[in-house]
Amino acid sequence: MIRPRLRPSRSESSIFPRIREVVRRIPRGRVATYGQVAALAGLPRHARHVGYALHALPEGTPLPWHRVVGAQGAIRLRRPDGRWTQRMRLEREGVRFTPRGRVRLAEFGWRVRRSS
DNA sequence: GCGGTGACGGTCG
DNA sequence: CCGACCGCCACCG
């Protein structure tokens, strides 16, 4: 078998597809953490790369990127407008925020059931 | 090849 | 609870 080469191709590493695949599975009204997505994508301890991959998404992507938050349930986008967009999309799906702007993972976190 | 950077996260104080 | 540090590692100039 030709081992798939880890080859970067212009802002598109081979790990991005795996990450997107996981993000695509996050159900409406729930959130997953960057670290969780990384682990499910088979890339434990690579939470930063999940953020990197999402940052590289084309505008208008159908991927539910807004369902990914930090380990403490906080929105991690740098730009204020991005944070606003994410929060809006989540609230529109029924996800509520604490007064301090965080999502209670115990309540809205995505509990993955045995792989599938 | 090197060093800075980042949509992270765990640990500490 | 919060900020500071540091480990992590692909990408980019």
Side-chain angles (χ1 to χ4, degrees), chain A residues 10-29:
Chain A
R10 242 175 281 218
S11 296
E12 175 76 2
S13 118
S14 62
I15 69 177
F16 287 10
R18 302 173 61 77
I19 291 171
R20 289 196 295 258
E21 194 54 40
V22 173
V23 173
R24 194 175 352 257
R25 291 170 42 206
I26 307 174
R28 265 183 65 87

Side-chain angles (χ1 to χ4, degrees), chain A residues 14-108:
Chain A
S14 62
I15 69 177
F16 287 10
R18 302 173 61 77
I19 291 171
R20 289 196 295 258
E21 194 54 40
V22 173
V23 173
R24 194 175 352 257
R25 291 170 42 206
I26 307 174
R28 265 183 65 87
R30 313 231 95 180
V31 299
T33 69
Y34 293 91
Q36 183 181 8
V37 171
L40 290 172
L43 303 162
R45 300 186 301 288
H46 288 230
R48 301 196 76 128
H49 296 275
V50 173
Y52 196 84
L54 297 187
H55 187 69
L57 291 174
E59 199 172 341
T61 175
L63 209 72
W65 56 266
H66 58 284
R67 297 179 189 147
V68 183
V69 299
Q72 315 307 314
I75 283 177
R76 297 287 249 163
L77 293 203
R78 300 276 183 166
R79 308 178 97 197
D81 56 326
R83 292 197 291 271
W84 182 83
T85 299
Q86 180 169 17
R87 178 162 179 159
M88 250 218 96
R89 292 191 180 190
L90 285 175
E91 291 186 322
R92 195 164 48 192
E93 298 185 350
V95 174
R96 301 213 317 286
F97 286 73
T98 66
R100 283 183 46 251
R102 299 184 11 197
V103 175
R104 284 185 211 294
L105 297 182
E107 189 174 355
F108 301 105

